[in-house]
Amino acid sequence: MIRVTHGFGSSLPFPPPEDALHRRHLLPGLPLHSLFLSPDPDQMLTTPLPAFLQPARVPVMVTAARPSTPLAFPSSPAPPLRGIAARPISRLPAPGAPPLFVPPISPPRAAAAAPAPRPTSPTTTAPPRSSPSPSPWTRPSTNPNPSPSRRSRWRRAPPERDFAGTPYVPVYVMLLPLNVVSADGEVVDADELVGQLRVLKAAGVDGVMVDCWWGIVEANRPQEYNWTGYKRLFQMIRELKLKLQVVMSLHECGGNVGDDVSIPLPNWVTEIGRSNPDIYFTDRAGRRNTECLSWGIDKERVLQGRTAVEVYFDFMRSFRVEFDEYFEDGIISEIEIGLGACGELRYPSYPAKHGWKYPGIGEFQTTDRVFCSSAMTDRVLMLARLAFEGSNIAVKVSGVHWWYKTASHAAELTAGFYNPCNRDGYAPIAAVLKKYDAALNFTCVELRTMDQHEVYPEAFADPEGLVLNAAWDAGIQVASENALPCYDRDGFNKILENAKPRNDPDGRHLFGFTYLRLSKVLFERPNFFEFERFVKRMHGEAVHDLQV
C-alpha cells in the first residue's frame, strides 16, 4: 500500500499561467497580486490578506493542563526480549520499585466525566518541540486573562456513538524521537523504549511507525548502506509481537512542526548541492530549500552518475533485501514512500525557515532549472511497486486546509494541488495510486473546522472538507494521521467519526490510523485512559462509559 498526502497531480501545466489565475479571483473583488504575487516574497509567505480585509480577532481561551502522574516504567535495564511474550508491565517491576501502573480496561467514571482539556497552545499538554515557535495551527493567547467566547462557554460535548461491532481499524503509534536509531547505529534509550512498547501492546495497539532516514543509512558514500541500528530496533519490535509501518524518509528532518531532531540529507548529496544548488527546489527569490531533492532532477544524472529516481530505487531495494524475513513473516505491514517535503506529496511551499507563518498561502517553487510535473509520482511508485512487490505501500498527502473556503484554494495551489472550486485536484492523485495499488494517507483527521474559525477566522480553513472522497470513489484504501498532539476525548471522537463515517451506505472505513506521536505526555494517566479507550473503539470493541 502506498500512502499519499495532499499532492499535486494535474495533466495541465503547473503552475497555471498568471492570466488564468486572474480569471479565478481568490476572493470576489480581490486581485491576485495582492495575495501571492506580492513584490515582497516574505510578505507573500506571511501575509494572507491586506490589512483592510483582516477580520476582527476572536479571544482565545487557554486552559492550563491538569497535573498528571505519568506511568511508571522499570528503572533497571529491560530483560532480554527473545522468548519473552508481551505482557502487562506490572509483572515486570524493577527491584525495590513500587508496583507499575497498567491502565484498566475502562477508566473510572470520574475520569470519564472530566476529559483532559484540548490543548490550544504550546503551553498546555503538547509535547516539547524543537523550535520555540508555536504550532502553525494553534494560536497562543496574548491576553493574560483570557475569557471564553459565549459559544465556547455554553457548548456541550456531542453525544458519543457506540462503535461496538464496527469494522476493525488498526492503530499504530509513531515512535519518538524521530532519530530513534542514531547516526551511530544505536537504538536511543532502548530500555525505556521497551517499557513503553510493552504498555502500548497491553493497551491493544497493533504496531508502530518507524522512519528509515536516507540521511542516516546512506550517509557517507553512494550505495553504502548501514542498516545495523534498524535491525536492532526491528528485532525488539518483533519480539513484542507488534507490527511495523516503515517510512522511506527521503527528506531531511528539522524545522517542521513536531520535528525534535535534525537529520540532513546524506553528506555526499549535500556536498553535490554546494556546487550544484539546482538539485534543490528554489523559489522566485532564489532561496534554496534543502529539505528534499527537486523533482526536476528525477531523470538528470547529477548524483554521481545516478538520477534521483535511481537513487531512491536503490535505497528501497537495499531495504527490501536486508529485511526480507520481516516481509515474509508479515511483521512489516506497510511501506510509506516519501515523495517530497515532510515525506509528503507536495512542493515545499510553506517552509518556516524561509519566514512562512500560518495562515500564509506560501510560495511557488517554479524557478528550478528543470521543472517537472506529476510524472514524478508515477515513476517513483512504479519503482516502489517493483521493489516491494506483494507488500502494502502508501503515500502521504498533507492536510492543506487553510484557504480551503476560497474559490482558488490558494494554499493548496502553491503546494501543488490544483484544486479550485470548479476542479477536483485530488482525483488525478487517486488515479495514480489506483494504478499501482497504493493507499492514500492524509493528515489533520482530528481537526475541527469550528475550532479553526474561532482561533484563526482569517484562515478560511476547513479541515473537515479535506476528507478525500476521491480516494474512496477510486476504490483505493485510505489511511490517516492526526496533525497535532491529541489527548482529549473530543479529539479522539473526531478521529473515530472520520475513520468510520456515520452516513455511508457503502460502509467504507479507514484502512488504518497512525497516532502522532509516542511521548511521555501520552503516558500520563488521564491521557492514557483516553487513548486506550480510543483504541478499543477503533477496534470495534465495547466500552462501558459512553456519554450518550
Side-chain angles (χ1 to χ4, degrees):
M1 176 186 69
I2 297 180
R3 176 172 297 174
V4 181
T5 56
H6 301 305
F8 61 100
S10 170
S11 58
L12 301 178
F14 183 82
E18 181 176 343
D19 59 342
L21 290 176
H22 272 290
R23 290 196 297 270
R24 294 184 176 91
H25 294 295
L26 297 178
L27 288 175
L30 185 61
L32 177 70
H33 63 81
S34 67
L35 289 175
F36 57 85
L37 294 181
S38 164
D40 182 356
D42 293 329
Q43 182 180 359
M44 183 194 67
L45 285 170
T46 61
T47 305
L49 282 175
F52 67 90
L53 285 179
Q54 289 286 352
R57 303 290 183 182
V58 178
V60 180
M61 179 175 64
V62 179
T63 306
R66 301 188 293 190
S68 301
T69 304
L71 302 183
F73 293 105
S75 57
S76 60
L81 287 174
R82 185 170 298 279
I84 300 178
R87 57 185 183 271
I89 64 168
S90 59
R91 300 181 185 178
L92 297 172
L100 299 174
F101 170 76
V102 177
I105 293 178
S106 60
R109 291 190 176 274
R118 181 175 181 80
T120 56
S121 81
T123 60
T124 59
T125 57
R129 300 181 183 275
S130 58
S131 168
S133 302
S135 160
W137 290 282
T138 56
R139 168 177 292 169
S141 173
T142 57
N143 182 354
N145 297 302
S147 60
S149 64
R150 178 174 300 179
R151 181 186 290 118
S152 299
R153 212 165 31 225
W154 294 102
R155 183 191 302 160
R156 293 188 179 184
E160 295 185 300
R161 282 175 57 192
D162 184 359
F163 288 94
T166 57
Y168 186 105
V169 176
V171 177
Y172 293 77
V173 176
M174 177 182 283
L175 293 190
L176 201 69
L178 293 176
N179 66 335
V180 64
V181 171
S182 69
D184 299 328
E186 298 295 330
V187 179
V188 177
D189 296 328
D191 296 331
E192 180 180 17
L193 178 61
V194 168
Q196 293 173 334
L197 293 178
R198 290 189 185 280
V199 175
L200 294 179
K201 177 67 177 180
V205 168
D206 296 89
V208 295
M209 173 180 278
V210 176
D211 288 270
C212 285
W213 294 100
W214 181 29
I216 290 178
V217 175
E218 197 181 358
N220 299 316
R221 296 180 183 84
Q223 294 181 285
E224 187 176 287
Y225 307 102
N226 179 11
W227 297 105
T228 303
Y230 289 103
K231 286 183 176 180
R232 294 171 179 167
L233 176 63
F234 287 10
Q235 180 64 25
M236 292 166 52
I237 294 169
R238 174 165 64 179
E239 291 182 359
L240 289 171
K241 302 187 183 304
L242 291 166
K243 300 283 188 179
L244 269 165
Q245 289 178 323
V246 180
V247 184
M248 299 285 100
S249 296
L250 303 171
H251 61 288
E252 73 174 11
C253 179
N256 291 306
V257 176
D259 287 352
D260 57 339
V261 295
S262 176
I263 304 173
L265 297 182
N267 298 329
W268 62 273
V269 173
T270 58
E271 184 65 29
I272 293 173
R274 292 187 183 96
S275 58
N276 182 13
D278 287 333
I279 68 173
Y280 302 122
F281 284 109
T282 309
D283 65 21
R284 68 190 180 105
R287 292 173 295 202
R288 308 288 185 170
N289 191 313
T290 61
E291 185 176 354
C292 59
L293 296 181
S294 167
W295 300 330
I297 66 167
D298 280 354
K299 297 196 293 184
E300 299 284 319
R301 296 191 177 279
V302 296
L303 300 176
Q304 295 198 14
R306 291 185 295 166
T307 69
V309 170
E310 288 172 342
V311 168
Y312 301 152
F313 176 69
D314 289 342
F315 181 80
M316 292 186 289
R317 180 173 56 182
S318 173
F319 176 85
R320 179 61 180 83
V321 171
E322 200 71 36
F323 295 96
D324 178 71
E325 60 182 305
Y326 290 87
F327 286 93
E328 296 299 323
D329 295 343
I331 303 299
I332 295 177
S333 61
E334 175 187 295
I335 299 291
E336 181 178 303
I337 313 298
L339 291 176
C342 291
E344 300 169 344
L345 179 59
R346 65 171 176 86
Y347 290 102
S349 60
Y350 47 95
K353 63 183 177 182
H354 287 170
W356 177 83
K357 295 179 182 178
Y358 182 83
I361 63 171
E363 171 70 84
F364 283 123
Q365 308 289 310
T366 60
T367 58
D368 306 71
R369 185 173 61 84
V370 181
F371 195 79
C372 134
S373 69
S374 61
M376 173 267 187
T377 308
D378 193 287
R379 288 194 293 267
V380 174
L381 292 188
M382 177 185 66
L383 294 176
R385 176 50 65 202
L386 181 63
F388 302 115
E389 183 179 3
S391 302
N392 293 325
I393 55 176
V395 178
K396 183 190 295 185
V397 174
S398 60
V400 184
H401 56 78
W402 52 105
W403 292 83
Y404 191 87
K405 286 194 171 183
T406 64
S408 68
H409 292 223
E412 292 168 272
L413 191 62
T414 59
F417 308 115
Y418 187 27
N419 191 48
C421 62
N422 60 348
R423 184 180 185 278
D424 185 351
Y426 301 106
I429 299 172
V432 174
L433 297 181
K434 177 71 173 178
K435 178 179 178 180
Y436 295 107
D437 191 23
L440 171 73
N441 179 35
F442 65 94
T443 60
C444 77
V445 70
E446 87 289 5
L447 298 183
R448 291 178 287 260
T449 297
M450 182 60 68
D451 292 346
Q452 298 299 309
H453 283 205
E454 289 183 354
V455 180
Y456 275 102
E458 72 272 29
F460 299 98
D462 185 12
E464 295 178 50
L466 277 175
V467 177
L468 303 179
N469 291 323
W472 268 325
D473 292 342
I476 65 175
Q477 294 175 323
V478 180
S480 69
E481 300 174 355
N482 53 302
L484 297 177
C486 179
Y487 309 108
D488 65 292
R489 185 167 298 185
D490 286 348
F492 287 135
N493 283 342
K494 181 62 181 175
I495 296 171
L496 282 158
E497 291 291 342
N498 285 331
K500 306 175 185 184
R502 182 191 300 267
N503 299 316
D504 186 356
D506 298 324
R508 297 176 293 194
H509 56 86
L510 291 182
F511 175 77
F513 172 77
T514 303
Y515 176 82
L516 276 59
R517 308 171 175 161
L518 185 70
S519 69
K520 293 182 179 179
V521 178
L522 173 63
F523 291 106
E524 293 175 0
R525 290 174 185 262
N527 296 341
F528 200 81
F529 277 135
E530 293 298 336
F531 177 72
E532 185 193 33
R533 183 180 187 271
F534 162 74
V535 171
K536 292 182 181 298
R537 301 178 76 198
M538 288 288 276
H539 289 172
E541 300 177 24
V543 296
H544 306 292
D545 61 340
L546 287 178
Q547 298 178 349
V548 297

